[in-house]
C-alpha cells in the first residue's frame, strides 16, 4: 500500500505569484548599493516579464549546463535578446525572447535592471560566466532567491495586501505564474500572452490552468456576488418588517370607498324610475333556470292550496 493510500493525497501548495505589482513594491524596499539586491531584483524582473520557469534562469547543481550564462543575453538596438536552451517543452530548439525597454520611468524594466546589474558587477564580463552571480561568488539558486523574496515580502506589511496571498509560498514557477497573472490583469490577448511566455500558439494553459491565482480570483468574484446578494436580501427583509413612516402615510393616496352594488330589481338612477329587470315572481308564476316566467299547472296549484 502506498503512502498516498495511507495518508491521503497531499494538499496542493498555494503559490505566491511574483506579479508586476509585487515587483513594484519590492523596488522600493531594495538597497540599490548592494550587488546582491541588484542580482536578486534583476532576476525577478527578467523572470516575471519573460514568464520564465525556475530552471530557465536559476542555477541548478543537477543540470549545470542549462544555467543561464552571459553569452545567452545580448543587448541590441531594440533592447535585449534572451536565448533559452534545453527548455522543458523544447529540448532540441533554442527559444529566442526579445525584450524592449519599458516606457520610463519604470524601476522594474528587465532591460534596465539587468544592464545596471552588469555595469556595476565586480566580476569580469565573461560570456561563459553565469548571468546571475552573488558577491561571494555563489551562483543564484532557487533557495537563495526564495529566502530573499519572502524576507522582503514580510517587510511590506499592509503595502502588499493586494499582491500577496495568505499562507502562500514562493515556488520555482512563481515568476511564470506572476507573468501570466499580470498579463491577465492587463487584458493582454491570449495569443500575445502565449508569445510572451513561449506557450503553444493556441494554448489557453496560462490563462486558465497555470495561472492558479486567476482561477482563485474568479472563485472570489462568485463569493462576493453571493455575499452582496445576501446583504441586499437581508436589507429587503428588514425594510419589509418595519411599519411605514408617518411621512409616507401622509403622502399616500387616499383610499376610495368600495362601490355599492345595486340590488336586483331596484331601479337605476339613470333610468328615470324604470327598470329593465324582470318583476319579482308571484304565487301565480314561477321562474325557470333560463329566466323565463311560466304559470304552474292546476295540480300544483291545488297542492299549494
Amino acid at each position: 500500500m502506498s503512502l498516498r493510500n495511507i495518508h491521503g493525497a497531499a494538499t496542493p501548495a498555494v503559490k505566491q505569484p511574483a506579479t508586476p505589482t509585487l515587483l513594484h513594491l519590492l523596488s522600493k524596499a531594495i538597497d540599490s548599493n548592494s550587488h546582491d539586491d541588484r542580482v536578486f531584483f534583476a532576476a525577478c524582473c527578467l523572470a516575471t516579464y519573460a514568464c520564465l520557469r525556475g530552471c530557465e534562469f536559476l542555477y541548478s547543481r543537477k543540470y549545470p549546463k542549462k544555467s543561464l550564462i552571459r553569452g545567452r543575453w545580448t543587448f541590441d538596438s531594440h533592447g535585449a535578446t534572451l536565448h533559452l536552451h534545453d527548455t522543458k517543452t523544447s529540448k532540441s530548439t533554442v527559444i529566442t525572447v526579445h525584450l524592449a525597454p519599458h516606457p520610463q520611468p519604470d524601476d522594474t524594466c528587465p532591460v534596465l535592471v539587468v544592464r545596471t546589474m552588469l555595469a556595476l558587477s565586480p566580476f569580469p564580463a565573461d560570456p561563459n560566466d553565469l548571468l546571475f552571480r552573488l558577491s561571494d561568488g555563489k551562483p543564484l539558486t532557487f533557495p537563495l532567491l526564495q529566502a530573499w523574496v519572502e524576507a522582503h515580502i514580510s517587510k511590506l506589511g499592509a503595502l502588499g495586501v493586494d499582491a500577496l496571498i495568505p499562507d502562500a509560498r514562493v515556488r520555482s514557477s512563481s515568476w511564470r505564474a506572476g507573468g501570466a497573472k499580470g498579463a491577465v490583469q492587463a487584458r493582454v490577448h491570449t495569443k500575445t500572452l502565449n508569445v510572451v511566455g513561449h506557450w503553444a500558439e493556441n494554448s489557453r494553459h496560462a490563462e486558465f490552468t497555470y495561472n492558479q491565482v486567476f482561477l482563485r480570483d474568479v472563485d472570489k468574484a462568485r463569493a462576493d456576488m453571493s455575499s452582496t446578494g445576501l446583504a441586499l436580501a437581508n436589507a429587503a427583509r428588514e425594510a419589509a418588517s418595519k411599519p411605514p413612516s408617518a411621512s409616507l402615510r401622509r403622502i399616500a393616496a387616499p383610499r376610495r370607498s368600495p362601490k355599492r352594488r345595486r340590488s336586483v330589481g331596484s331601479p337605476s338612477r339613470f333610468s328615470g324610475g324604470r327598470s329593465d329587470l324582470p318583476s319579482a315572481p308571484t304565487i301565480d308564476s314561477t321562474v325557470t333556470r333560463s329566466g323565463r316566467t311560466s304559470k304552474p299547472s292546476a295540480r300544483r296549484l291545488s297542492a299549494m292550496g
Side-chain angles (χ1 to χ4, degrees):
M1 182 177 292
S2 64
L3 294 177
R4 180 188 181 94
N5 295 332
I6 297 175
H7 302 286
T11 304
V14 181
K15 183 189 307 177
Q16 171 59 54
T19 59
T21 303
L22 182 60
L23 295 182
H24 282 284
L25 293 173
L26 292 176
S27 66
K28 308 301 180 182
I30 64 174
D31 182 7
S32 59
N33 296 322
S34 171
H35 173 72
D36 289 351
D37 275 12
R38 291 195 297 266
V39 171
F40 286 128
F41 188 66
C44 289
C45 293
L46 175 60
T48 295
Y49 287 108
C51 296
L52 299 181
R53 303 178 180 90
C55 60
E56 294 173 349
F57 72 102
L58 296 172
Y59 176 79
S60 172
R61 295 181 177 86
K62 186 176 182 180
Y63 304 103
K65 294 183 179 180
K66 297 176 62 174
S67 302
L68 185 59
I69 59 177
R70 288 196 180 194
R72 298 174 183 173
W73 171 271
T74 56
F75 293 101
D76 50 39
S77 59
H78 298 285
T81 302
L82 176 65
H83 302 279
L84 301 176
H85 293 251
D86 192 14
T87 62
K88 180 180 179 181
T89 55
S90 300
K91 298 294 184 181
S92 57
T93 60
V94 178
I95 296 178
T96 303
V97 181
H98 299 280
L99 297 102
H102 295 181
Q104 296 302 313
D106 188 348
D107 296 334
T108 66
C109 174
V111 178
L112 176 63
V113 295
V114 173
R115 186 191 297 274
T116 303
M117 179 200 71
L118 294 178
L120 301 178
S121 174
F123 302 101
D126 184 0
N128 295 321
D129 192 16
L130 295 175
L131 181 62
F132 302 115
R133 186 179 293 277
L134 301 177
S135 57
D136 57 0
K138 293 182 179 179
L140 180 61
T141 60
F142 170 69
L144 294 176
L145 185 58
Q146 179 190 39
W148 182 86
V149 173
E150 292 184 347
H152 281 72
I153 284 177
S154 62
K155 297 178 183 179
L156 294 177
L159 292 176
V161 170
D162 295 335
L164 303 180
I165 299 176
D167 302 326
R169 295 293 305 276
V170 176
R171 305 295 173 182
S172 60
S173 57
S174 290
W175 293 270
R176 189 165 174 82
K181 178 177 174 61
V184 172
Q185 290 177 334
R187 300 182 182 275
V188 175
H189 194 274
T190 303
K191 291 186 176 180
T192 305
L193 174 58
N194 291 337
V195 176
V196 172
H198 44 275
W199 280 283
E201 181 179 359
N202 297 322
S203 173
R204 306 198 72 177
H205 187 65
E207 186 176 358
F208 292 106
T209 305
Y210 198 98
N211 189 5
Q212 299 175 4
V213 182
F214 175 69
L215 298 177
R216 195 173 295 111
D217 290 344
V218 172
D219 295 338
K220 182 179 182 299
R222 293 193 179 100
D224 291 343
M225 292 164 59
S226 176
S227 61
T228 303
L230 178 60
L232 293 175
N234 292 335
R237 294 191 192 98
E238 185 178 357
S241 62
K242 292 182 179 180
S245 60
S247 59
L248 293 179
R249 287 197 300 267
R250 284 198 300 267
I251 64 176
R255 297 184 59 185
R256 299 179 61 182
S257 58
K259 186 176 181 180
R260 298 182 60 183
R261 299 182 61 184
R262 183 163 47 89
S263 61
V264 178
S266 61
S268 171
R269 58 176 178 153
F270 300 105
S271 61
R274 298 176 58 184
S275 176
D276 298 331
L277 296 175
S279 59
T282 61
I283 192 170
D284 296 334
S285 63
T286 59
V287 181
T288 63
R289 292 182 180 180
S290 61
R292 298 179 180 178
T293 304
S294 63
K295 292 185 178 181
S297 61
R299 182 184 299 179
R300 189 173 182 180
L301 289 175
S302 63
M304 294 175 60

